[in-house]
């Protein structure tokens, strides 16, 4: 029987998750920093490492002289990045009591510049998104979060939550239907006056988004079960929206055009063993807070870590009816495979391949609705030169077979559909809280479209078949 209504999917997800609740045992609550460590271990299966240098969220105990750093205000010798946390501890009358209940805040500022050697007349680097403005400063992310991390790996029931706010130019690519945008795609709480356009609507360059708002329940069953309900980032793919979680400033076509950014629903993570993790959940669809048709999608995945932690494999799936531009609603299925392997202590290789299909996603040459397909092959190579400096390279082939993802055109109007991208860059950390990410990127494509005898190409305001970008950003974590 086909399950379509989202209430049915939620019932299925809860039926899978809730039998675990009866296995709770009493245990003492861990310190905040041990919670960070256990969370990193629990989630590492679905967070392939993009740079082997660790991004510790809390204060690390370097020697006995820094033992007071644990669960306290960050001391200078800890070299951690919780300046906002320190400020609130000193100036807020309520934050110390919140902190004692494991509630903490943090964030970062990500700002950059991308030079386009071809100087497009519309000042856009499209189809490259996120760092999409050419020869112009961008404050991509002023990011704030508040969270209570659950006690992963504990022996008793625990609960947590997280709320994220993103202000900057990246807001445009993290909006959800029914939250930041109205049902017709027009802005909800952001300005509609700006240079960006989509679906006949205009959008401001800077705006506010809420990419995450969820509650979480931990159940001490197997090696740990986490049930997350609300609005959250997708577990699918390799690259992330959050700037500190990526090696490169720019993003792959795969992430930009082939994958969702957020979901709204329920996601259960089963830590079966220390090496094996399973995902199961149900959501409203790609980047949707609300769904006018009450359709639902299945989220599923399996992750495996080798015993020496050098190899990581993720296989994730989303499938369900989605709203699309050709028919009102039709099934969209995406499968993503990610392999990460440490070749040496300093050299890491990552391979990603996605395959997606959207039923009734385009029109063929006979103007009949047919499925639209896309797939990709991405390769990443990272080399840690020192503890503060690393080189990286990314090569990508993205196939937009039916022109539904990038140009979003019917088949009779376009040819080609192959996109290639080569990016080389570096990460430099002059301070534990500061990351500098310069990069050089070269894009090219054989895609062409014809409108009344005019040939349209993907780059330089639809006038060129290649593009060269030189840019970078600075991330300051606080």
């Amino acid at each position: 029987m086909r399950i379509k209504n989202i209430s049915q999917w939620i019932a299925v997800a809860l039926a899978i998750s809730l039998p675990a609740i009866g296995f709770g045992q009493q245990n003492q609550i861990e310190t905040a920093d041990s919670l960070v460590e256990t969370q990193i271990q629990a989630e590492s299966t679905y967070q392939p490492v993009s740079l082997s240098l660790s991004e510790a969220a809390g204060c690390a105990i370097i020697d006995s002289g820094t033992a007071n750093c644990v669960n306290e205000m960050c001391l200078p010798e800890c070299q951690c990045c919780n300046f906002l946390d320190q400020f609130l501890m000193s100036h807020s009358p309520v934050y110390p009591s919140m902190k004692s209940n494991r509630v903490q805040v943090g964030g970062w500022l990500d700002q950059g510049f991308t030079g386009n050697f071809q100087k497009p007349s519309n000042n856009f680097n499209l189809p490259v998104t996120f760092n999409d403005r050419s020869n112009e400063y961008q404050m991509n992310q002023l990011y704030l979060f508040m969270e209570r991390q659950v006690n992963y790996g504990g022996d008793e029931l625990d609960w947590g939550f997280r709320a994220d706010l993103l202000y900057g130019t990246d807001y445009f690519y993290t909006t959800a239907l029914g939250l930041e945008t109205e049902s017709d795609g027009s802005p909800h709480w952001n300005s509609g006056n700006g240079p960006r356009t989509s679906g006949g609507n205009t959008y401001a360059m800077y705006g506010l988004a809420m990419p995450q708002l969820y509650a979480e329940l931990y159940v001490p069953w197997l090696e740990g079960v986490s049930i997350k309900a609300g609005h959250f980032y997708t577990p699918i793919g390799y690259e992330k929206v959050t700037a500190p979680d990526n090696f490169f400033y720019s993003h792959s076509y795969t992430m930009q055009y082939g994958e969702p950014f957020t979901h709204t629903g329920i996601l259960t993570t089963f830590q079966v063993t220390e090496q094996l993790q399973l995902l199961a959940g149900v959501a409203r669809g790609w980047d949707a807070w609300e769904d006018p048709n009450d359709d639902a999608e299945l989220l599923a995945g399996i992750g495996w870590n080798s015993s020496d932690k050098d190899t990581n494999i993720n296989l994730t799936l989303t499938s369900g009816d989605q709203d699309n531009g050709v028919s009102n609603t039709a099934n969209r299925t995406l499968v993503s495979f990610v392999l990460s392997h440490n070749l040496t202590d300093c050299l890491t290789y990552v391979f990603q391949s996605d395959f997606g299909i959207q039923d009734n996603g385009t029109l063929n040459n006979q103007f009949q609705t047919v499925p639209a397909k896309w797939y990709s092959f991405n390769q990443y190579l990272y080399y840690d030169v020192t503890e503060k400096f690393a080189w990286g390279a990314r090569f990508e082939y993205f196939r937009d077979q039916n022109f539904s993802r990038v140009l979003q055109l019917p088949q009779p109007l376009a040819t080609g559909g192959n996109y290639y991208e080569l990016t080389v860059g570096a990460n430099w950390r002059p301070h534990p809280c500061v990351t500098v990410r310069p990069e050089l990127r070269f894009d090219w494509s054989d895609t062409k479209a014809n409108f009344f005898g005019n040939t349209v190409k993907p780059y330089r305001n639809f006038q060129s078949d290649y593009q060269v970008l030189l840019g970078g950003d600075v991330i300051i974590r606080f």
Side-chain angles (χ1 to χ4, degrees):
M1 180 180 67
R2 187 178 186 182
I3 302 177
K4 181 176 179 181
N5 190 283
I6 189 167
S7 61
Q8 295 176 283
W9 276 116
I10 293 174
V12 171
L14 289 174
I16 295 174
S17 306
L18 292 181
I21 292 179
F23 293 85
Q25 299 178 6
Q26 296 299 315
N27 189 36
Q28 198 171 29
I29 297 296
E30 304 286 342
T31 66
D33 294 286
S34 63
L35 287 176
V36 171
E37 181 180 354
T38 55
Q39 183 185 28
I40 291 173
Q41 292 174 351
E43 294 187 347
S44 61
T45 305
Y46 278 95
Q47 294 180 351
V49 177
S50 61
L51 180 66
S52 61
L53 301 178
S54 62
E55 288 275 9
C59 299
I61 302 179
I62 301 172
D63 55 47
S64 58
T66 63
N68 290 331
C69 296
V70 177
N71 210 21
E72 299 288 344
M73 288 174 53
C74 184
L75 303 177
E77 56 266 33
C78 297
Q79 294 189 339
C80 63
C81 307
N82 61 348
F83 307 118
L84 179 58
D85 182 84
Q86 293 180 62
F87 177 83
L88 292 176
M89 285 291 288
S90 301
H91 297 85
S92 172
V94 297
Y95 188 69
S97 61
M98 294 171 58
K99 187 70 179 290
S100 66
N101 288 300
R102 304 198 338 247
V103 176
Q104 60 183 13
V105 299
W108 59 83
L109 172 65
D110 176 33
Q111 51 190 337
F113 179 91
T114 303
N116 189 322
F117 290 93
Q118 295 174 290
K119 299 180 180 179
S121 58
N122 62 353
N123 291 328
F124 275 107
N125 297 320
L126 296 174
V128 172
T129 60
F130 287 84
N131 61 318
D132 55 357
R133 292 296 284 177
S134 64
N135 309 305
E136 183 178 306
Y137 163 84
Q138 288 184 254
M139 187 183 76
N140 295 89
Q141 298 181 6
L142 175 57
Y143 205 102
L144 297 173
F145 66 85
M146 175 182 289
E147 66 177 348
R148 185 184 194 270
Q149 294 182 352
V150 300
N151 184 12
Y152 291 99
D155 294 329
E156 63 178 10
L157 285 170
D158 196 23
W159 63 274
F161 68 88
R162 173 143 177 159
D164 294 26
L165 290 176
L166 185 163
Y167 178 81
T169 59
D170 285 1
Y171 90 96
F172 180 71
Y173 300 105
T174 60
T175 57
L177 185 68
L179 184 60
E180 293 91 354
T181 60
E182 303 285 0
S183 58
D184 62 355
S186 61
H188 183 191
W189 60 52
N190 292 299
S191 171
N193 297 320
R196 287 179 164 142
T197 60
S198 177
N201 297 299
T202 59
Y203 305 86
M205 180 56 63
Y206 286 84
L208 180 69
M210 187 175 64
Q212 294 202 114
L213 180 65
Y214 64 81
E216 190 169 9
L217 176 68
Y218 172 80
V219 181
W221 184 58
L222 300 173
E223 292 293 319
V225 176
S226 165
I227 306 170
K228 184 185 297 184
H231 189 52
F232 46 84
Y233 284 125
T234 183
I236 295 169
Y238 174 61
E239 296 185 12
K240 311 297 181 184
V241 170
T242 46
D245 296 322
N246 301 293
F247 187 93
F248 296 103
Y249 180 32
S250 66
H251 287 285
S252 65
Y253 288 98
T254 303
M255 184 262 199
Q256 296 171 98
Y257 294 101
E259 299 171 350
F261 296 130
T262 62
H263 306 279
T264 303
I266 296 176
L267 181 64
T268 304
T269 303
F270 302 87
Q271 194 68 42
V272 182
T273 68
E274 291 184 358
Q275 296 177 244
L276 181 64
Q277 190 178 78
L278 302 176
L279 288 182
V282 58
R284 286 189 174 275
W286 290 29
D287 309 316
W289 176 267
E290 298 177 351
D291 190 332
N293 299 309
D294 199 26
D295 296 324
E297 65 173 335
L298 170 70
L299 297 173
I302 181 170
W304 176 81
N305 274 321
S306 62
S307 57
D308 58 7
K309 307 300 182 182
D310 283 339
T311 304
N312 174 276
I313 297 175
N314 299 327
L315 181 65
T316 47
L317 164 75
T318 173
S319 181
D321 287 350
Q322 309 277 346
D323 296 326
N324 65 79
V326 177
S327 63
N328 187 34
T329 182
N331 180 269
R332 181 186 299 161
T333 298
L334 173 67
V335 179
S336 179
F337 172 82
V338 180
L339 165 68
S340 176
H341 180 66
N342 295 328
L343 301 172
T344 69
D345 290 341
C346 300
L347 190 63
T348 301
Y349 171 75
V350 178
F351 172 81
Q352 177 185 8
S353 181
D354 284 12
F355 174 79
I357 181 170
Q358 169 74 65
D359 287 349
N360 299 333
T362 189
L363 300 175
N364 63 13
N365 292 330
Q366 288 74 43
F367 294 96
Q368 300 170 326
T369 56
V370 294
K373 301 175 183 178
W374 64 96
Y375 54 88
S376 63
F377 300 96
N378 300 358
Q379 298 188 80
Y380 304 77
L381 194 65
Y382 309 110
Y383 181 70
D384 298 334
V385 181
T386 69
E387 292 183 353
K388 298 182 178 180
F389 187 82
W391 290 103
R394 175 181 64 204
F395 178 74
E396 175 184 19
Y397 167 64
F398 182 80
R399 171 65 173 168
D400 187 8
Q401 181 168 311
N402 305 101
F403 317 105
S404 66
R405 305 309 301 174
V406 183
L407 292 183
Q408 300 180 12
L409 294 173
Q411 284 185 217
L413 298 179
T415 60
N418 300 296
Y419 293 84
Y420 303 87
E421 170 251 324
L422 174 63
T423 303
V424 292
N427 274 203
W428 175 47
R429 292 175 181 167
H431 183 276
C433 306
V434 179
T435 303
V436 182
R437 304 188 298 180
E439 69 173 44
L440 176 65
R441 173 171 175 149
F442 181 48
D443 296 79
W444 67 101
S445 175
D446 64 353
T447 304
K448 295 180 177 63
N450 296 292
F451 292 98
F452 307 105
N454 296 320
T455 300
V456 174
K457 301 177 181 179
Y459 310 103
R460 197 189 177 191
N461 197 13
F462 305 107
Q463 297 178 10
S464 178
D465 56 9
Y466 75 95
Q467 180 172 257
V468 181
L469 303 176
L470 177 62
D473 67 335
V474 178
I475 303 171
I476 303 173
R477 293 184 293 125
F478 51 81

